[in-house]
Amino acid sequence: MGRITKAGAWCNGEVAYLAWMADGPIADCLGFMITRVHETGPEAGARRILPTWIAFADQSNPDWLEQDSSVWPIQQYQWRDLTLRRSRDEAIVRPIDFRIHYEITPVGLAGPGRKPVPASDTAPYRDENGKPRYVGPPRPLFLLDEPFKTESIDVTHDFPGGGAIKATYTNGILSTQNLLRQLEKVQGVKPENIAPGPAMRITEGLLKTLKAHIPKKGDPIRLFLTADVLSFLTMLIDRAETGNGELYLALYELHDPELIG
């Protein structure tokens, strides 16, 4: 039976990219469960199973709700950890500067001596109202091998580690359903007339709702979407002012009062 023989992880401070390879086909494999292990930082010791949104062929995900990769395993040999710093369902961004590694585990069909994949608290079959979170029968999965561990990587904006080069990014919209849940947490009420789905389905209703949040200084949705970029820009401006320096920027948001004030 084939086994994972090599795996790597790389990070730009916002998103991690993983890739792995095996020495042959892995018998009965239906995909891979990936766990992020926090080595340092406020969540040191935490183990987070990465979420996915793609169901099996005999299931569907009409509300575009995530499940852990222990339920819907990753059916390829590469993946991006989009929730490395941002929450999967809240307008929260993890603070920068911590160390992690990943564990990649092949999962699949039942077989002699194979243990079932443990249930995960972050992947319930039913929601808080008792409604199934996806359509179709749950599929029992089993562990096909021991987890393969990547080398540790630093989640930082300083490159090389501790160096003089800094880079940061905004947070893109993962999916409209993900953003809807964040808006519900912030507003206390679920937005109406907005269809869930991938990020490319940004409806007029959602755009109108976002435009009401984004211009407001300190708004949780604004802070989530701007991520570290806003504080990074204001830091550069403040440093230039206090140090009597010059700063050259290409800005699109020339109407934003926090940037031009």
Side-chain angles (χ1 to χ4, degrees):
M1 181 184 80
R3 306 186 70 181
I4 299 175
T5 56
K6 187 177 182 180
W10 301 266
C11 172
N12 64 3
E14 296 293 337
V15 174
Y17 174 76
L18 296 84
W20 57 99
M21 60 186 301
D23 57 6
I26 302 175
D28 299 329
C29 183
L30 297 178
F32 300 91
M33 174 178 69
I34 300 182
T35 304
R36 184 197 322 120
V37 182
H38 290 247
E39 299 179 9
T40 64
E43 297 182 68
R47 300 175 59 85
R48 309 287 186 191
I49 301 176
L50 301 194
T52 62
W53 284 260
I54 306 301
F56 284 108
D58 59 348
Q59 303 167 338
S60 65
N61 186 14
D63 294 326
W64 203 251
L65 296 174
E66 81 285 346
Q67 282 289 342
D68 284 354
S69 52
S70 57
V71 176
W72 292 337
I74 295 161
Q75 300 180 42
Q76 53 185 341
Y77 282 79
Q78 59 179 342
W79 196 247
R80 289 187 300 159
D81 182 4
L82 299 176
T83 57
L84 173 61
R85 295 193 55 213
R86 56 186 170 183
S87 168
R88 62 172 71 180
D89 59 359
E90 295 187 44
I92 295 174
V93 179
R94 291 186 179 90
I96 195 70
D97 293 323
F98 55 96
R99 175 169 288 191
I100 60 167
H101 69 265
Y102 292 92
E103 294 176 357
I104 304 168
T105 308
V107 298
L109 304 176
R114 294 174 182 170
K115 297 180 180 180
V117 173
S120 171
D121 293 337
T122 52
Y125 173 61
R126 299 183 183 275
D127 64 17
E128 61 273 12
N129 298 316
K131 175 186 174 183
R133 288 165 52 87
Y134 58 88
V135 177
R139 182 186 292 265
L141 296 174
F142 294 81
L143 303 172
L144 302 184
D145 204 347
E146 295 296 320
F148 193 97
K149 178 180 174 181
T150 69
E151 293 185 356
S152 300
I153 59 173
D154 291 318
V155 183
T156 180
H157 289 320
D158 299 337
F159 303 97
I165 298 175
K166 296 180 181 289
T168 188
Y169 307 88
T170 56
N171 272 328
I173 298 173
L174 184 61
S175 70
T176 55
Q177 181 63 25
N178 176 261
L179 188 57
L180 287 177
R181 294 167 68 185
Q182 294 167 343
L183 286 167
E184 184 177 3
K185 295 285 181 66
V186 171
Q187 299 177 162
V189 60
K190 188 173 183 177
E192 298 180 352
N193 301 321
I194 302 175
M200 65 282 294
R201 294 170 61 181
I202 304 299
T203 62
E204 183 177 348
L206 179 56
L207 188 60
K208 181 179 179 180
T209 302
L210 286 176
K211 286 183 175 180
H213 284 273
I214 290 175
K216 296 179 181 178
K217 182 178 179 178
D219 185 281
I221 297 298
R222 171 185 170 91
L223 294 175
F224 177 80
L225 293 176
T226 58
D228 296 323
V229 167
L230 183 58
S231 61
F232 187 71
L233 283 175
T234 55
M235 179 272 292
L236 291 175
I237 295 170
D238 292 342
R239 189 174 70 176
E241 288 181 344
T242 57
N244 195 28
E246 295 182 343
L247 180 63
Y248 298 89
L249 295 172
L251 294 177
Y252 298 94
E253 296 82 2
L254 297 179
H255 59 283
D256 191 292
E258 194 167 0
L259 288 180
I260 65 176

